[in-house]
Amino acid sequence: ELADMPQLGTSFSKDDLIGQVTLINVFGSWCAACRIEHDMLMTIGEQDEVPLYGINWIDTPERGTRWLNDFGNPYDRVGNDEKGRNIIDLGVTGAPETFVVDKEGRIRYRHVGPLTQDIWLKTLRPMVLELQAQTHANS
């Protein structure tokens, strides 16, 4: 279970992923590449096309909260995995990593490294829209 982040609201669990297509982004205040992708995450969050959940990984909740307060919080929900053990099932090897999760809560795609506009527009967004259409058609 992910811990809540101070001042940022409720974390999330596997149950929160069921019934919707979701992006999960793994970040940390210590992660230089996370700063590189952050503006792209802010853009994705502002577009409001897909829920964006964050996991502050191997970091304290206080540092993660301060980092998001400084640079902006693109996430609909954000949780903390200070010891790095709670998200081991995702296969996370570093930060940043971003996952496309389908309506059953299954990982459909894993992107390792910073998100760029090109990766979002040509790979992740089309996949999200396709999975959302399948979700709608199969409901």
Side-chain angles (χ1 to χ4, degrees), residues 117-130:
Q117 184 174 10
D118 198 51
I119 292 164
W120 169 243
L121 292 176
K122 292 183 179 172
T123 304
L124 272 68
R125 185 173 182 270
M127 186 177 302
V128 164
L129 294 175
E130 181 180 331

Side-chain angles (χ1 to χ4, degrees), residues 85-103:
R85 293 189 188 121
N86 293 327
I87 60 169
I88 209 151
D89 292 344
L90 291 176
V92 172
T93 58
E97 288 189 24
T98 304
F99 299 86
V100 177
V101 181
D102 70 15
K103 70 172 187 168

Side-chain angles (χ1 to χ4, degrees), residues 7-123:
Q7 306 160 9
L8 297 180
T10 311
S11 181
F12 62 96
S13 68
K14 288 180 184 177
D15 292 342
D16 296 310
L17 304 176
I18 305 301
Q20 64 184 353
V21 178
T22 311
L23 284 182
I24 298 177
N25 176 258
V26 178
F27 72 98
S29 67
W30 49 266
C31 167
C34 296
R35 179 64 189 108
I36 293 168
E37 78 170 1
H38 198 73
D39 288 343
M40 191 65 236
L41 292 172
M42 292 297 290
T43 298
I44 293 168
E46 289 164 6
Q47 290 172 352
D48 206 28
E49 289 182 304
V50 60
L52 177 59
Y53 291 177
I55 300 173
N56 185 41
W57 189 58
I58 311 180
D59 203 355
T60 67
E62 295 75 23
R63 282 196 300 257
T65 297
R66 188 168 43 251
W67 195 82
L68 290 172
N69 285 338
D70 287 348
F71 297 111
N73 182 0
Y75 304 111
D76 296 296
R77 290 187 171 202
V78 61
N80 193 74
D81 187 9
E82 188 167 350
K83 304 248 186 266
R85 293 189 188 121
N86 293 327
I87 60 169
I88 209 151
D89 292 344
L90 291 176
V92 172
T93 58
E97 288 189 24
T98 304
F99 299 86
V100 177
V101 181
D102 70 15
K103 70 172 187 168
E104 281 84 33
R106 293 182 309 224
I107 295 169
R108 299 297 290 267
Y109 188 82
R110 173 181 172 211
H111 175 75
V112 177
L115 283 182
T116 63
Q117 184 174 10
D118 198 51
I119 292 164
W120 169 243
L121 292 176
K122 292 183 179 172
T123 304

